[in-house]
Amino acid sequence: RFLQGKAVGRFGKATFTGALSELWYDMPLDPDWFISHWWGEPIFAFVNCVSEHARVFGLGSDALYWVCAYANNQSRIADELGGSPLQSPFCKALRVARGALVVMDDGAVTVTRAWCALENVVVSHLGKQYAIATWQDAGAVVLTLSPAPCDVQWAERSPQELGGLARLCQMRRQQHFPTNLLTAAMSADFAAAESSDPRDKTLIDKVIEEELGGFDQANSRVRVMAAVAMCTCS
């Protein structure tokens, strides 16, 4: 929480002007995971992706995810974002979270948006944990850079079938990730990402080039991750 809301109104009717998260918690809390996404995905698909991520990483019911739509004060969004992208709530939350979950929509729009590009670059720059989730008819699928806690647990429980290899468990778990989205991720170019406000794009590109070391590391991370998963899916 960065800009606290309050109830305002006329003629006895109150309107809350803060962030939705303020209705759930009465104190600032640090997030466990940051969610990077495009607002165009169906809400149920989004929830399924987050639920599957929590299962894969063995998170409890008290795990906190930072979601911009709910954590930012949408009534005062210009004040919330501040003058520099690095001082925005997005970057502040990324600094304290243990990692970032990218929720990828079925059109892979996520990797083409400038604010999502900034989040990917910051995650890579800070060396945070990283995962990508999407959904399909059979359910949500989560990609990870290495075996997740659930993979390690399954490998320990089934040593004869899986040879104790958590990597094999990881490959099996994510083998149904849609190949069209993997293809899009393999060609991701965060430098070419766009913003609905050209001024945001200019600010974001300037910060990434001058203060975060450029786009290359983040591009390589998502491309390699997708390429390794593509081999599994193939």
Side-chain angles (χ1 to χ4, degrees):
R1 180 167 61 191
F2 299 98
L3 291 177
Q4 189 171 8
K6 61 181 180 180
V8 298
R10 299 174 61 188
F11 309 113
K13 295 184 178 180
T15 301
F16 182 68
T17 63
L20 181 61
S21 59
E22 292 182 62
L23 299 178
W24 298 328
Y25 304 103
D26 60 359
M27 65 183 71
L29 297 171
D30 289 343
D32 296 297
W33 281 82
F34 178 99
I35 295 184
S36 177
H37 73 121
W38 176 58
W39 283 26
E41 75 276 331
I43 185 62
F44 289 111
F46 177 87
V47 172
N48 285 336
C49 287
V50 177
S51 297
E52 176 64 4
H53 175 267
R55 184 195 71 80
V56 167
F57 280 84
L59 305 180
S61 59
D62 59 345
L64 295 176
Y65 288 87
W66 193 95
V67 185
C68 60
Y70 313 130
N72 281 340
N73 186 335
Q74 301 297 332
S75 299
R76 298 176 59 187
I77 195 63
D79 295 331
E80 190 85 282
L81 294 179
S84 168
L86 290 182
Q87 296 304 314
S88 67
F90 303 95
C91 291
K92 291 179 180 179
L94 277 169
R95 292 190 189 100
V96 298
R98 59 185 278 196
L101 167 64
V102 175
V103 175
M104 186 174 290
D105 56 284
D106 58 6
V109 176
T110 306
V111 296
T112 69
R113 306 307 300 164
W115 281 102
C116 294
L118 173 65
E119 293 158 3
N120 274 269
V121 171
V122 171
V123 169
S124 182
H125 182 75
L126 295 176
K128 299 279 186 173
Q129 295 186 58
Y130 186 76
I132 302 175
T134 194
W135 66 93
Q136 52 184 354
D137 292 341
V141 186
V142 176
L143 293 186
T144 54
L145 288 164
S146 59
C150 74
D151 303 318
V152 175
Q153 292 176 2
W154 274 110
E156 292 174 348
R157 293 175 184 173
S158 307
Q160 294 182 345
E161 178 186 355
L162 300 173
L165 297 177
R167 177 70 71 177
L168 180 57
C169 295
Q170 176 194 4
M171 293 170 62
R172 290 186 175 184
R173 170 176 55 77
Q174 58 191 37
Q175 65 181 334
H176 297 299
F177 201 95
T179 55
N180 66 306
L181 298 186
L182 292 177
T183 300
M186 287 169 60
S187 59
D189 182 4
F190 290 125
E194 300 177 347
S195 173
S196 55
D197 188 337
R199 294 171 297 180
D200 287 352
K201 169 66 173 174
T202 299
L203 286 174
I204 289 170
D205 285 357
K206 180 179 176 63
V207 165
I208 291 176
E209 292 291 357
E210 296 182 359
E211 301 186 48
L212 297 175
F215 295 89
D216 290 347
Q217 185 176 4
N219 283 335
S220 296
R221 191 182 206 186
V222 69
R223 290 172 185 171
V224 169
M225 188 174 181
V228 171
M230 180 69 85
C231 292
T232 303
C233 293
S234 300

